[in-house]
Amino acid sequence: MARAAAFLGSINVGGNRLKMADLRAALTDAGIAKVETVTASGNVLFDPEGCSAAAIEGVIVKVLSDQFGLDVLVTVRSRDEVAKAIADNPFHEAGEDRFVHTHFLERQPSQAQFVALVTDHEGRGPEKLALGERMLFIDYVDGAGNTKLTGPFIERRLECRGTARNMRSLKRILETMEA
């Protein structure tokens, strides 16, 4: 059975501290099969065993809330969707893996929302943006550390939450999914 990945937003940043061993144990206890984490930033691999992405997202959200007191975005993607997050990113080949990100979005924003994001960001930094299918692609060019293109800035314009991973992390996650 193909592995899937759950990307959890804001884990082990901004005060949302969570030990991956505790997360793995809680998700396994909740009935999710073959739970594995990749790095300590909220990347959970598992076997969906016929469950829909929405059902798994719901279980993980409930576990995070009930057992850890966290209210964070959880978005589940199949192995093929993770591969697509790398392949479809138009900045992947040209930019540095650590600066090129894919933001996994909770829903598809409209073209008008994306245009508003690009327009509002114009002149604020060198970042490049492109819209994908429930994904936002960004080349942070000079790094994400001092950018004005922050998560809250993006969320206000797109009117949906997202969680980002750089190409280095996505390649490692995909490699682990395929192992």
Side-chain angles (χ1 to χ4, degrees), residues 7 73 75 77 85 102-106 134 161-163 170:
F7 297 101
L73 171 67
T75 181
R77 296 300 203 274
T102 296
H103 287 249
F104 295 96
L105 303 173
E106 64 185 338
R134 290 188 315 137
R161 296 183 299 169
T163 184
L170 285 175

Side-chain angles (χ1 to χ4, degrees), residues 139-165:
D139 183 349
Y140 281 101
V141 183
D142 295 329
N146 294 317
T147 185
K148 293 179 182 176
L149 188 61
T150 63
F153 183 90
I154 293 167
E155 288 176 18
R156 279 192 301 275
R157 274 81 183 167
L158 297 183
E159 298 178 19
C160 69
R161 296 183 299 169
T163 184
R165 302 298 184 273

Side-chain angles (χ1 to χ4, degrees), residues 97-168:
D97 278 359
R98 62 191 175 127
F99 295 157
V100 175
H101 288 68
T102 296
H103 287 249
F104 295 96
L105 303 173
E106 64 185 338
R107 64 168 183 75
Q108 182 66 33
S110 70
Q111 187 62 33
Q113 290 168 320
F114 175 68
V115 169
L117 171 64
V118 171
T119 301
D120 289 353
H121 181 63
E122 198 168 293
R124 295 175 55 94
E127 296 82 8
K128 301 172 192 169
L129 296 101
L131 187 61
E133 187 177 321
R134 290 188 315 137
M135 293 181 276
L136 177 67
F137 305 117
I138 300 177
D139 183 349
Y140 281 101
V141 183
D142 295 329
N146 294 317
T147 185
K148 293 179 182 176
L149 188 61
T150 63
F153 183 90
I154 293 167
E155 288 176 18
R156 279 192 301 275
R157 274 81 183 167
L158 297 183
E159 298 178 19
C160 69
R161 296 183 299 169
T163 184
R165 302 298 184 273
N166 68 26
M167 287 298 107
R168 186 183 306 170

Side-chain angles (χ1 to χ4, degrees), residues 62-78:
K62 184 166 178 36
V63 166
L64 290 170
S65 176
D66 292 354
Q67 296 188 32
F68 303 106
L70 298 175
D71 177 22
V72 299
L73 171 67
V74 176
T75 181
V76 170
R77 296 300 203 274
S78 69

